Amino acid sequence: MGEHANLYMGKDIYFWNFIVLMVFTLFEVAAVFFETVPGTEIAISRSVVWAILIVVGIVKGYGIAAFFMHLRDEHKWFNITFMFPWIFVALMLWGIGLSNPEGVTGLPSWCTPDWSYATER
Amino acid sequence: MSGHGNEVANSTWLRAVMMAGMIFTVGIIGFGVLGVGIAEQKHHTWEDEHHHYEDAKSEWKDAVAAGTIDGDDHDSELYIAKEEAHNSEIAAHLSYLTYRTAGVTMLFLAGAYASFIGIGGFLNASKPKGDDHHDDHHGEHEEHHGSASPIIFAFGIMVFLIGLPDFIVACKAMLDETATAELGMLAVSVSGLAIIVIAVSNWWFEDLPFIGHGEQIATSYPFEGDHIRKVGLWVFIMSEIMVFATFFSSYLRMRTEWCTKWAFENSNGGFDGCRSEDDWVLTASDYLRPGGAKLDGFGESVGDFWTLLPGGINTFALIISSYTIVLALKTAKNTNWEAPKGFMGKLMPTRKAAVRNYLIATLMLGSLFIVLKLVEWSHLVAEGFTIGTVQGSIFYIATGAHGLHVFIGLVIMLYLVFKADTVGYDEDNAQGIEYFGLYWHFVDLAWVVIFPAFYLY
């Protein structure tokens, strides 16, 4: 604390981080709530909603970890401690892809083993 | 904790007992107003709506039996009247559940808070005076001792968990007359709970006099010079990320195989085993988000603004509580703090009061989260989304584990409020708030993943 003494428009970084988190939460709820872009006929597809939820989640996660948890000002070993389990998260996501029925034929070849025996047998 | 440099009179702990009394009184008032007063009125309304629905249903059945209308005709006046009455009955039931669950949860929370702070305060107030400074004042050298409290605490959790299956059966028997159990089945878990309370109260006893002198410092690479408590907390958070990652990956693994409405619409007509609406499985988000797959008698989604509202409010409550705890820490560390003007100045006339009130605000927001969480669960169960399905199981386990983390955080925060009100936090000992804040922000971070995954997706 105190590392962010700089003020932006009279308020510190914690305040602005708080505002960003609130606005982005509204944005993600709105993305699910509206079936078309408000005021237009443009449909919001499931893929777009999915992308919005992931991007907003990453932004919010970064805001909380970097500013509220002060990781931005901590030395690298605290950052490494925080990031270490995410390796397993990535591995689990990869495993989900491989073990899913769609993983046999639906995933790009660079992230799957050779599944040809499964499809050609 | 050691090297406290401050003595706390036994009488100070009696304030904890008074605090417990106040909290329990608030809980009883909340239960009386919401869980009994308003809930009883809502119950009458629900009964009226139920009779109204039964009448409308009988009228429709009679008409179908007499051949006046076709049973499959969903445009007939009698069918519409029946379904409208059914919707009104469900709405009245959910309204009753809202107040009843909110009241009962307030009473439960108040009881749990009062038990921890009251029993802890009483045990510490009864300790012999000599125990007050059993491990500090070693001349010029601040000798560091480890605390046994966390180990006793962990042992208490282990004992509690060993007895948990019997504990659940016994609790179920108390709530449900059809189930049977023996009182002895509570013994192991209750012993565990007693050990937990004793360990927590002793932990508080050791920490309360701490005014910032003698924080234990790590001496080895790579955390040389850092506070050991801080390093320990980050390692703990690392393990917590893995715990929540297992919930999340289990959910994602199963979810990607389920034939949900979302998957159906996203695959333009479905895939193998997912060719029609009959194949759809219902997830929690199908009940909660607008346009979800759970339909009423008119074929319209039951999810709307109101069903998503508790989850939405909870998201904002956690974000705001993350900010209020940052404000508590900032205020505690600010040696040039000045009381704000106007109404806020009356709320926070001194730095000590400001820190305490920010912590109270955080405590109240966290408690609101628990109340709304259980209200939402009660609605989902009433609508038929129970833990007996795979979708329900992963939803209740993941959100329940998160809720448990919030609850544990609230019990710790209760102590922070007590310390802020008695010894106080300043620039020297504010790390207590800072390290708890790390945990609290992590709970917020976990919700950032859970909310879109389970409520919106």
Side-chain angles (χ1 to χ4, degrees), chain B residues 371-420:
Chain B
V371 170
L372 288 179
K373 167 66 53 200
L374 290 181
V375 166
E376 178 192 273
W377 276 16
S378 71
H379 286 197
L380 283 170
V381 171
E383 295 260 32
F385 188 73
T386 63
I387 200 167
T389 61
V390 180
Q391 304 92 288
S393 172
I394 188 65
F395 172 79
Y396 289 112
I397 293 294
T399 57
H402 179 267
L404 184 66
H405 279 74
V406 173
F407 175 70
I408 291 168
L410 291 173
V411 172
I412 300 167
M413 198 152 11
L414 192 68
Y415 165 72
L416 295 186
V417 171
F418 175 65
K419 182 165 180 175

Side-chain angles (χ1 to χ4, degrees), chain A residues 37-88:
Chain A
V37 177
T40 70
E41 296 291 317
I42 303 167
I44 305 172
S45 72
R46 294 294 186 208
S47 305
V48 170
V49 176
W50 212 55
I52 289 172
L53 295 183
I54 290 173
V55 170
V56 169
I58 290 170
V59 171
K60 286 172 68 181
Y62 178 80
I64 292 169
F67 298 108
F68 280 170
M69 296 172 93
H70 312 142
L71 270 180
R72 203 160 164 259
D73 300 302
E74 295 290 2
H75 63 71
K76 70 172 183 181
W77 284 104
F78 282 113
N79 283 276
I80 289 170
T81 306
F82 178 73
M83 293 309 295
F84 178 68
W86 294 96
I87 296 170
F88 294 95

